[in-house]
Amino acid sequence: MPADSAADGAIFDPLRDAAFGANPGLAHLRPARSGRDRWHRAVVLGGQGHFARARAELDLLGRSERPNSALRSFAASTEASLLRQLGWHARAAAFDGAALAAAGDGTSIDAVAARCDALTGLAADALGVGRLALGHSLLRRCETLLTAATGATEATGVAAPQALWRQHIRLNWVRAELALAAGDASTARTAADLAFAAAQVSASVRHVVKSRLILAAALCCDDDLTAAQALSAAVVSDCRDNGLLPLLWAAAMLRSAIADDTAAAVLVIETAQTIELRGGRFRKT
């Protein structure tokens, strides 16, 4: 059974639900009783912008978990994600590389999920330093793994087996972002639509919100500015409602760029200041 399935028929777990389900803004997290709990706590805290607290959970997990395991890999990928959100793509790549090494070459769902997380992370890191070709190559490796594990292709990604739902969404997030960086509006829109459709049938509010944010950027690239402005405003509202501070910052950045919205520009500054108070240090360019 996968470590990150939000709705796999198991007994309800509020930590897992907050990490990959319907309640990402949960304020009072129960104490960790296992390494997996620590990972879920780190995912929740990172999504809320509590960077220092999330890193502390990952540090404790890294000290206790055996070196070669899917959970150790998930933790390293999460550490990389925290860095990447703040602009530290080169530093994030070191953690994603460690995640790939820790995942090993097993065939369990967890092992495949961990390798896919590491590969999409590395692709996003490559995008951040301008290496688009490398990013595409890494995504092809990820897609090959997913196809072998599930028999799914991108054409059927929305119906991908529940166990790897998150990996299919992440693949299309990064594919859309690579296309946006290259000015390929058609590919960006297609990938963003796939990610959004898959997110909608998942239990994860956070994945729906981020998918809508990427779709808003793709709409803008596709010169559908009216739709992009409306969707970006909805994403800002969703982020506020669910306590998703890093996504709120990104949504405000997009909205301030595509709409005449002074409030969005102020929101960018306010959310950045709060993130820094919570232990997130932005890379200055």
Side-chain angles (χ1 to χ4, degrees):
M1 190 168 289
D4 57 346
S5 176
D8 53 22
I11 296 172
F12 176 78
D13 180 347
L15 273 183
R16 186 179 57 189
D17 182 61
F20 300 112
N23 196 12
L26 185 66
H28 301 290
L29 305 180
R30 69 166 172 79
R33 297 192 286 257
S34 66
R36 186 159 295 180
D37 282 354
R38 289 208 180 281
W39 177 49
H40 285 159
R41 282 175 60 90
V43 170
V44 178
L45 292 166
Q48 295 173 358
H50 291 289
F51 284 83
R53 293 174 62 192
R55 288 195 301 267
E57 295 287 351
L58 295 172
D59 182 59
L60 288 168
L61 173 56
R63 294 180 190 179
S64 62
E65 189 65 22
R66 67 186 190 277
N68 297 313
S69 71
L71 188 55
R72 182 74 169 260
S73 178
F74 288 136
S77 288
T78 303
E79 183 79 57
S81 177
L82 297 176
L83 287 164
R84 197 162 46 244
Q85 289 177 68
L86 299 168
W88 300 97
H89 294 83
R91 288 175 57 188
F95 283 95
D96 281 318
L100 188 58
D105 57 1
T107 58
S108 70
I109 291 296
D110 269 0
V112 173
R115 289 204 299 281
C116 288
D117 279 359
L119 288 167
T120 51
L122 285 166
D125 300 332
L127 167 62
V129 296
R131 301 184 66 185
L132 304 191
L134 175 59
H136 284 295
S137 176
L138 289 160
L139 288 190
R140 286 193 292 271
R141 286 177 62 186
C142 178
E143 186 173 7
T144 297
L145 278 174
L146 287 173
T147 300
T150 67
T153 65
E154 285 310 293
T156 59
V158 172
Q162 190 176 30
L164 294 168
W165 63 272
R166 189 170 59 79
Q167 285 68 35
H168 281 273
I169 293 170
R170 283 168 52 89
L171 174 69
N172 279 303
W173 282 350
V174 182
R175 180 168 285 154
E177 289 167 342
L178 283 165
L180 287 170
D184 183 351
S186 176
T187 298
R189 178 70 183 271
T190 298
D193 281 338
L194 281 169
F196 182 48
Q200 283 186 300
V201 297
S202 79
S204 177
V205 168
R206 181 166 53 85
H207 283 75
V208 171
V209 173
K210 181 167 179 178
S211 296
R212 294 181 84 190
L213 174 60
I214 292 175
L215 180 55
L219 288 167
C220 182
C221 185
D222 203 25
D223 291 328
D224 194 347
L225 194 58
T226 299
Q229 289 171 342
L231 190 54
S232 66
V235 172
V236 167
S237 178
D238 288 341
C239 290
R240 280 178 160 150
D241 290 345
N242 292 284
L244 298 171
L245 198 68
L247 284 178
L248 177 59
W249 175 78
M253 286 278 286
L254 176 63
R255 181 144 185 84
S256 66
I258 66 175
D260 184 15
D261 188 343
T262 304
V266 172
L267 186 59
V268 170
I269 297 170
E270 292 176 345
T271 52
Q273 290 173 339
T274 304
I275 285 170
E276 289 178 345
L277 287 172
R278 294 179 180 181
R281 185 167 63 91
F282 287 95
R283 179 175 178 268
K284 308 300 182 185
T285 55

